[in-house]
Amino acid sequence: MKERSKILEREIKTHDNKIGGMLECIGNECDLYYQDNHEVLMEKCKDFETYYMKTKKEFITYASKI
């Protein structure tokens, strides 16, 4: 889980740095590029949240049996 969270954190930081380039970009094509990247990253965050909640539930279930 730590590795997945580190990867996601790096992707978020990279995306954040790219957002600064939006100001230099003119036109709908650029807007769509950043919007598409944002939506992909958002989906990855949702997937990680689902993975995290599932893993947490499994851990708590296992720990409660001990």
Side-chain angles (χ1 to χ4, degrees):
M1 179 161 318
K2 285 183 181 182
E3 187 61 34
R4 283 183 78 167
S5 67
K6 286 180 184 179
I7 291 169
L8 185 58
E9 183 179 358
R10 278 189 296 241
E11 290 180 3
I12 290 170
K13 286 180 182 179
T14 300
H15 178 69
D16 188 44
N17 290 335
K18 287 181 180 179
I19 288 176
M22 281 181 61
L23 298 175
E24 299 171 6
C25 190
I26 299 173
N28 288 339
E29 190 174 305
C30 290
D31 292 342
L32 290 174
Y33 170 77
Y34 286 107
Q35 184 176 356
D36 289 345
N37 283 340
H38 184 76
E39 288 174 3
V40 167
L41 185 57
M42 206 159 122
E43 192 62 37
K44 287 182 179 183
C45 288
K46 288 178 184 179
D47 290 344
F48 180 79
E49 181 182 21
T50 300
Y51 168 76
Y52 173 80
M53 296 304 287
K54 180 183 174 207
T55 304
K56 180 180 173 182
K57 182 179 178 181
E58 290 172 359
F59 179 75
I60 291 171
T61 301
Y62 174 76
S64 67
K65 292 178 182 178
I66 298 177

